[in-house]
Amino acid sequence: MSKGQIVAGCLAPHPPHLVYAENPPQNEARAECGWETLRWGYERLRRHLRKLDYDVLIVHSPHWRTNKGTHLLGVPELKGKSVDPIFPHLFRYNYDLKVDVELAQEIFKEAQKEELEMEMMVNPDFRVDYGTIVSCHMTDPEWSKPIVGISSQGAASYYGLEVMNSMMLKLGRATRRAVEASGKKAVLLASNSLSHRHFTVESDIPEDMSKEHITHHGQYIWDMKMIELMKKGKTKEMIELLPDFTEQTIAETDGGSLTWLMGALDFPDYPAEVHGYGTVIGTGNAVVEWDEVNRGKDFQ
Amino acid sequence: MEHNNSSVIGGFVVPGLPHILLAPEKNPGWMEVRRAFDQVAEEIKNSDADVLVLYSTYWASILGHQIQARPEPEFILVDDQFHDLGSIPYKLKMDVNLAKAYCETCKEMGLKARTTDYEGFPIDSGSVVALKLLNPDNRIPAIIVSSNIYSDRAETVVLGKALQKTLEAQGKKAIAISITSLSNRLTMGDFDPANDKISNRKDEEWNQKFLEFLAEGKLEDVSQLSRQFHREARVHKVVNFKPFWWLSSVMGAHNRYEGKVWAYAPICGTGAALVGLTPSEHASRDLEFDEDDPEFYVGERNVLADDLRALDREEKGESHESI
């Protein structure tokens, strides 16, 4: 069997507003418009990923929060309705997805070698979290590939951000080894926003873009700093800065997804491609791709 | 003197982990908590409550406060963390009228609030566990209010008072239920249910302190101590430890309750306590430092015992007449 490969790693944020504004048939709520710059960013990502060709999406989501260990979806097919508990008026999505259980089990085993606490989720009634669904839908709206879903372990609140970083880097390395052993081509999705101090009040029309902006200037500066480091290929520095960034912007990086991604990609030192940046209810979101096949050359 | 809210005839603090519902037999402590739930369910059934009002720390909200208002929400719940325990099919019954009225009162009192009525809305595991155990036949309708992760004390107190006001306006008698663990640090690593214990000694000490206060009916004291409890014995996933703020605000912010600890046990390292509070005319322990009436000064309390005052006079060579 040939060696598997991570063909791309992506920062793939999951505000449900993006799916809402896309008006896909799976989602019950209907929008007039909204958050186009981010949705165009996802369009660009999809276009490029089609060129790369891949077999599976592996997604690490902060909205499947487990405090005891990292869990992996372990049921071959999951079907149900995901309703966002904060934005049920925007996101009520009927999903029917396939899980690459074999690869999930491989990640499980490799992560255990890193002495990480791991668990497989084998309950067929389990409801997939909206973070996983949004990131996967925006990346692959046809759901043409199976997925591997990984939970976000609450290490940041149980121990601290530095401990979280350390654990997620190990999980990333384990993911990489599992992909290589599988012989499959994988795209990894870190499903998180950057700065995450969001509005606590919603506008009457959720998709009224005249009301959309970053919550405060400091968040924006920090987001741009992190993106600058991505564009310059300085991912080690980015992860070093991550605890400060997370504290000062209440960033969703506390879930560990971005750190996991960097661990899996082994700290890429080539420029990432930023397909788009935009705010959603005040949070900063970027659609970013690290093309492991061409190592940035495709975008020059 | 703050009066008991006559609309609220009783209150409970209950844990919300699914082990109590799905796997109590795996640990004697879990079974103890489960039996306590069954006993409390019987009490609730025999009460003349019109409605159960729940505040769940398992239902996090960020855009103000959410109140469940679907008449009969129905789904199958699988806990995000403890999915291995199994599935929980549920069908609940909400007091939609009260939920909507509560929402309006919240808004009138300056809070951001909305009702939630969607098929498939993910009702939190704490609420489902509590209602399935305490109200298994849905004999009494309920409302559930979320725990806003950013709320501080002032906002949570107003949230509680808004419910008081709404209950009075509707003339309904309620049992208030706060769904929370005490300490909430889960045991990490290899875990054997048979050997469950509180995560660490400090958590246990703080749990015991809270239980001592609650057994004495000191709800307001526990409410006042909540910030410190959050610092000492809670994993900081949200900004405050709020369930006692809400409960004391709904029931009446004082210590005049009869308290009963029905059960206490570790569940996966967290402190799971089922506590009952019944409004009373007197505090369980009338101590000299309990609150005075803030509306009318009743004078010195003469906290020293008569014989001590006499002793003091003797030592000073004073007679009673000379005082």
Side-chain angles (χ1 to χ4, degrees):
Chain A
M1 183 167 58
S2 59
K3 191 175 173 185
Q5 187 188 12
I6 297 173
V7 299
C10 311
L11 182 55
H14 60 248
H17 305 65
L18 301 181
V19 167
Y20 167 64
E22 292 271 280
N23 287 320
Q26 299 97 323
N27 195 34
E28 290 177 1
R30 297 282 111 185
E32 292 178 302
C33 63
W35 306 280
E36 272 75 8
T37 53
L38 273 168
R39 292 195 289 124
W40 295 333
Y42 262 114
E43 273 178 24
R44 285 190 277 274
L45 172 68
R46 289 195 290 267
R47 218 163 23 236
H48 192 253
L49 289 179
R50 270 183 228 120
K51 282 198 236 174
L52 292 180
D53 189 31
Y54 59 99
D55 302 307
V56 60
L57 283 172
I58 306 176
V59 53
H60 186 288
S61 169
H63 285 286
W64 182 10
R65 178 51 59 93
T66 56
N67 292 304
K68 192 169 153 52
T70 298
H71 298 206
L72 292 140
L73 294 178
V75 176
E77 196 170 324
L78 286 161
K79 190 173 173 176
K81 186 174 187 173
S82 176
V83 178
D84 186 318
I86 309 293
F87 303 102
H89 51 305
L90 306 181
F91 189 86
R92 302 185 299 281
Y93 187 105
N94 292 291
Y95 63 88
D96 182 355
L97 56 89
K98 303 234 179 331
V99 176
D100 187 335
V101 177
E102 190 183 47
L103 180 55
Q105 287 168 340
E106 206 49 53
I107 295 172
F108 176 92
K109 282 187 223 152
E110 289 297 331
Q112 283 194 316
K113 290 177 190 169
E114 300 274 358
E115 295 184 339
L116 293 172
E117 190 176 349
M118 302 296 293
E119 196 168 329
M120 292 298 294
M121 196 301 297
V122 296
N123 188 324
D125 293 328
F126 186 78
R127 177 143 54 169
V128 179
D129 69 286
Y130 73 87
T132 298
I133 291 176
V134 170
S135 295
C136 289
H137 177 96
M138 294 306 294
T139 306
D140 176 24
E142 292 83 26
W143 292 87
S144 61
K145 314 286 183 192
I147 74 163
V148 172
I150 307 178
S151 78
S152 163
Q153 199 257 4
S157 49
Y158 264 70
Y159 307 111
L161 291 162
E162 286 80 3
V163 172
M164 179 278 292
N165 256 356
S166 156
M167 291 171 79
M168 289 303 104
L169 288 174
K170 288 183 183 177
L171 183 66
R173 284 199 295 270
T175 303
R176 184 186 192 88
R177 291 197 303 267
V179 169
E180 288 172 353
S182 73
K184 291 170 183 166
K185 291 182 188 170
V187 168
L188 272 52
L189 303 180
S191 172
N192 63 264
S193 299
L194 293 173
S195 65
H196 204 252
R197 183 64 169 102
H198 49 72
F199 302 153
T200 52
V201 173
E202 196 179 34
S203 57
D204 289 340
I205 300 172
E207 58 265 44
D208 180 357
M209 291 296 101
S210 71
K211 305 284 195 296
E212 186 58 73
H213 58 84
I214 196 82
T215 300
H216 68 77
H217 181 55
Q219 273 178 240
Y220 189 81
I221 291 179
W222 261 113
D223 281 348
M224 292 305 115
K225 177 65 184 175
M226 298 300 265
I227 290 172
E228 177 197 331
L229 292 172
M230 293 176 200
K231 290 173 81 163
K232 287 181 174 173
K234 293 187 173 182
T235 53
K236 280 189 181 169
E237 189 177 337
M238 180 182 71
I239 295 301
E240 289 273 307
L241 265 181
L242 199 129
D244 283 339
F245 167 67
T246 306
E247 266 182 33
Q248 294 196 25
T249 69
I250 328 292
E252 209 174 30
T253 42
D254 67 339
S257 304
L258 184 58
T259 309
W260 161 79
L261 181 63
M262 292 301 107
L265 301 182
D266 195 18
F267 293 103
D269 57 5
Y270 57 86
E273 180 66 14
V274 180
H275 291 298
Y277 174 88
T279 67
V280 181
I281 58 159
T283 67
N285 298 271
V287 181
V288 181
E289 183 188 349
W290 284 269
D291 173 357
E292 288 279 278
V293 173
N294 302 295
R295 299 180 74 77
K297 295 191 181 76
D298 235 20
F299 299 111
Q300 285 168 8
Chain B
M1 179 183 293
E2 174 136 10
H3 294 285
N4 288 334
N5 173 16
S6 58
S7 299
V8 183
I9 60 175
F12 293 95
V13 179
V14 307
L17 285 177
H19 307 67
I20 312 158
L21 177 68
L22 294 174
E25 71 286 349
K26 288 191 176 176
N27 176 281
W30 301 1
M31 184 54 85
E32 189 190 316
V33 175
R34 173 58 180 268
R35 288 201 187 105
F37 262 98
D38 295 341
Q39 290 168 328
V40 167
E42 199 58 32
E43 287 235 333
I44 289 174
K45 187 178 161 187
N46 295 331
S47 74
D48 57 354
D50 300 307
V51 65
L52 306 178
V53 295
L54 281 67
Y55 175 93
S56 179
T57 59
Y58 292 76
W59 184 11
S61 62
I62 62 167
L63 296 176
H65 309 276
Q66 286 173 256
I67 303 162
Q68 185 57 236
R70 189 160 182 83
E72 291 187 331
E74 185 175 0
F75 214 74
I76 299 176
L77 170 76
V78 176
D79 191 273
D80 270 3
Q81 171 79 57
F82 301 109
H83 40 76
D84 60 313
L85 294 180
S87 309
I88 309 175
Y90 66 82
K91 186 173 180 175
L92 309 173
K93 187 173 163 192
M94 297 293 123
D95 184 334
V96 177
N97 195 277
L98 181 66
K100 288 180 176 172
Y102 183 20
C103 184
E104 287 314 303
T105 313
C106 284
K107 290 177 190 171
E108 286 163 16
M109 291 174 78
L111 299 171
K112 300 284 180 226
R114 56 191 166 130
T115 53
T116 296
D117 178 3
Y118 295 97
E119 193 251 330
F121 183 88
I123 296 190
D124 66 283
S125 57
S127 296
V128 171
V129 166
L131 284 172
K132 280 192 74 88
L133 288 174
L134 296 177
N135 191 31
D137 303 321
N138 289 320
R139 199 181 70 82
I140 306 173
I143 65 163
I144 311 170
V145 64
S146 69
S147 179
N148 183 290
I149 66 173
Y150 304 119
S151 289
D152 209 300
R153 183 182 162 88
E155 188 175 352
T156 309
V157 165
V158 173
L159 183 68
K161 287 187 174 176
L163 181 55
Q164 256 192 24
K165 200 170 164 184
T166 314
L167 287 166
E168 275 169 28
Q170 293 204 346
K172 284 178 176 161
K173 290 194 172 157
I175 289 176
I177 301 171
S178 248
I179 306 168
T180 182
S181 56
L182 294 178
S183 65
N184 67 345
R185 184 171 282 272
L186 290 166
T187 302
M188 295 292 154
D190 288 336
F191 173 70
D192 175 10
N195 295 318
D196 203 350
K197 57 183 179 184
I198 296 294
S199 197
N200 61 74
R201 192 186 169 104
K202 186 177 168 193
D203 285 358
E204 174 63 6
E205 286 178 2
W206 272 97
N207 289 344
Q208 288 297 339
K209 178 53 69 178
F210 257 45
L211 290 171
E212 178 193 325
F213 275 40
L214 288 166
E216 293 168 5
K218 294 177 156 184
L219 177 57
E220 180 56 14
D221 282 0
V222 156
S223 172
Q224 296 282 348
L225 261 180
S226 288
R227 281 194 206 282
Q228 185 149 9
F229 190 88
H230 182 69
R231 280 194 294 271
E232 305 280 0
R234 299 279 295 179
V235 176
H236 295 172
K237 292 183 267 185
V238 295
V239 299
N240 279 304
F241 184 49
K242 293 177 267 260
F244 293 100
W245 291 345
W246 180 85
L247 192 63
S248 96
S249 177
V250 170
M251 294 187 72
H254 52 76
N255 290 328
R256 288 188 309 284
Y257 295 95
E258 285 175 24
K260 179 173 177 178
V261 178
W262 288 82
Y264 169 70
I267 298 185
C268 298
T270 71
L274 205 168
V275 178
L277 291 156
T278 309
S280 167
E281 285 309 310
H282 303 283
S284 292
R285 290 176 61 184
D286 276 317
L287 299 171
E288 64 270 16
F289 46 82
D290 277 346
E291 300 92 348
D292 273 325
D293 186 343
E295 306 297 333
F296 187 85
Y297 182 58
V298 297
E300 289 293 334
R301 292 244 232 158
N302 294 322
V303 299
L304 294 178
D306 284 343
D307 55 354
L308 283 177
R309 284 203 295 275
L311 183 62
D312 186 49
R313 285 196 296 272
E314 242 182 68
E315 284 174 356
K316 287 179 183 172
E318 291 165 357
S319 66
H320 176 77
E321 290 77 15
S322 68
I323 301 290

